Amino acid sequence: MGEEEKTPDVSEKSGKKRIIAAVAAVVVAIAGVGGYAYASNSAYDSYESRVESAKESDSKLVKKIAEAQSLVKATKESDVLDKTVLDSLNKSLKVGESRKGVPTSSHAVKWNLWSVSKANASVSNDMTEANDSINAIGKAMGKVEASKTAKQVKDAKDALDKTLTDAENLYKDSEGKVQDNKTRESLKTALDNAKKTSSDKKADVKSLTAANDTLSKAVKAVNDSKNAKAQADAQKQAQEQAQVQVQSNGVSSETYSNSGYSNSGGSYSNNGGGSYSGGSSQYTQPQNSNNCTQYGCNGYDYRKDFDSAGGGTAPITKDNINQDGSITIGGDSHGNMW
């Protein structure tokens, strides 16, 4: 007989299985280490990329905060229609200030997957908050700008409405009082256009201001025309009064009588004894104001009187006629006093 074929026993089979299992465990272990290293490297690369993005967001946040601060500084409460928009912007600024900067972690080591993942989450959260603040501040700034514009529109409309009221009153009161009526026609046209602009809810500051300027110019033109007519009327009245005065004074050939004066050809004579010659510009003063002549005053003639001795009285001359009309007489022809 030939040799019998041998079959492996149980112990031999068990040894082979243990060898295979050990080899498999080594392979799994090697694969696990490689996978962890790959995951760690990937997480760290993502972390570094997010840090750069976070820096960009932080730079934008800093810039937006500076713009908002400039807006707050340049805006007073009286510049906005609703002052609460300024309060909202200031609150957004405070939040934004607290979110400036990028968090860093010294524990974010390349081979520590847990620390890298934690740092990555922190940077991502910071970047999200920075972007949220940028948007919030931007919206708050937009509301401030809109409120400022609304206030400017309101002020422009109020100014136009006031000019409208004054212009309407002027148009009514100026009828027949202007030198050039075309100015009133222009004012009426400007009034109609201004009313349309004022009632337009979409009118902006530019259109409201333009309508107000046009209306103001038309008002000025009417006022100037009123003043010109008033001045012309005053001059005409003054000329008429001067003409009446000339007529009341008369002309040079007319004769006036007043207290014994007469005028003829520019020469005046006074029945009291004075005379004025316009041609010679000379005036002769009478001896006194009692109509005296060289022979007596008030019709008295000394030549008809005789004294007690039968002699004539002393002649009356300018030397013995007093200013009040009385006469100072010396003695008679025989030396006797009266």
Side-chain angles (χ1 to χ4, degrees):
M1 290 183 67
E3 294 181 356
E4 294 181 354
E5 184 177 354
K6 295 181 179 180
T7 59
D9 57 12
V10 176
S11 60
E12 185 178 354
K13 291 181 179 179
S14 298
K16 289 181 179 179
K17 289 180 180 179
R18 286 195 294 271
I19 292 171
I20 292 172
V23 171
V26 170
V27 171
V28 169
I30 293 172
V33 172
Y36 180 84
Y38 176 79
S40 297
N41 285 334
S42 297
Y44 192 81
D45 290 342
S46 176
Y47 167 71
E48 287 185 327
S49 176
R50 285 183 181 273
V51 168
E52 293 302 318
S53 297
K55 288 180 179 178
E56 291 180 5
S57 295
D58 185 70
S59 177
K60 292 178 181 178
L61 176 60
V62 171
K63 183 178 179 181
K64 182 61 69 175
I65 288 174
E67 292 174 355
Q69 288 173 338
S70 296
L71 178 60
V72 170
K73 186 177 180 180
T75 306
K76 297 176 292 193
E77 288 188 355
S78 58
D79 294 335
V80 293
L81 196 62
D82 180 12
K83 68 176 184 178
T84 60
V85 296
L86 287 174
D87 297 333
S88 298
L89 179 56
N90 284 321
K91 289 179 181 178
S92 298
L93 276 172
K94 289 181 179 179
V95 175
E97 286 283 357
S98 67
R99 291 177 175 177
K100 287 194 304 184
V102 179
T104 56
S105 175
S106 58
H107 301 291
V109 244
K110 194 170 187 177
W111 300 104
N112 190 331
L113 181 60
W114 179 83
S115 65
V116 171
S117 297
K118 185 177 180 181
N120 201 354
S122 176
V123 172
S124 296
N125 182 63
D126 179 79
M127 184 169 59
T128 298
E129 290 182 343
N131 290 333
D132 288 345
S133 283
I134 291 172
N135 292 332
I137 293 173
K139 289 179 180 179
M141 290 177 66
K143 290 181 179 179
V144 171
E145 294 290 0
S147 189
K148 286 177 67 176
T149 300
K151 180 64 164 57
Q152 292 170 355
V153 170
K154 181 180 182 301
D155 291 345
K157 186 178 183 304
D158 289 346
L160 177 58
D161 289 344
K162 183 181 183 305
T163 305
L164 267 169
T165 300
D166 296 339
E168 286 179 329
N169 292 333
L170 177 63
Y171 180 76
K172 294 176 183 177
D173 297 339
S174 62
E175 185 174 3
K177 299 178 181 179
V178 292
Q179 192 175 48
D180 182 5
N181 199 56
K182 290 182 179 179
T183 58
R184 293 188 73 250
E185 295 174 0
S186 297
L187 177 59
K188 184 64 170 62
T189 301
L191 273 169
D192 294 339
N193 292 335
K195 288 178 181 178
K196 291 179 182 178
T197 303
S198 177
S199 60
D200 184 4
K201 294 182 179 180
K202 295 182 179 180
D204 55 10
V205 176
K206 184 178 180 181
S207 60
L208 290 166
T209 302
N212 191 29
D213 290 343
T214 301
L215 186 57
S216 296
K217 290 179 181 178
V219 167
K220 182 179 183 301
V222 171
N223 281 325
D224 289 345
S225 189
K226 280 183 63 180
N227 293 334
K229 187 176 187 305
Q231 185 176 1
D233 290 346
Q235 290 177 348
K236 182 179 180 181
Q237 184 178 5
Q239 291 174 353
E240 290 175 349
Q241 290 178 347
Q243 186 176 1
V244 170
Q245 185 67 30
V246 169
Q247 291 175 351
S248 65
N249 289 337
V251 294
S252 59
S253 60
E254 189 174 354
T255 301
Y256 295 84
S257 296
N258 183 16
S259 301
Y261 285 87
S262 63
N263 173 21
S264 178
S267 176
Y268 293 83
S269 64
N270 181 0
N271 294 332
S275 63
Y276 173 82
S277 174
S280 61
S281 299
Q282 294 179 350
Y283 177 75
T284 303
Q285 175 70 35
Q287 296 298 326
N288 52 54
S289 59
N290 293 286
N291 298 322
C292 297
T293 66
Q294 59 178 330
Y295 302 112
C297 296
N298 299 319
Y300 172 76
D301 191 342
Y302 78 91
R303 294 173 297 177
K304 298 179 180 180
D305 290 346
F306 298 90
D307 60 9
S308 58
T313 58
I316 300 175
T317 66
K318 64 179 181 178
D319 297 326
N320 54 11
I321 297 176
N322 302 317
Q323 291 297 324
D324 60 357
S326 62
I327 303 171
T328 302
I329 301 176
D332 59 14
S333 58
H334 298 282
N336 299 316
M337 298 296 294
W338 282 87

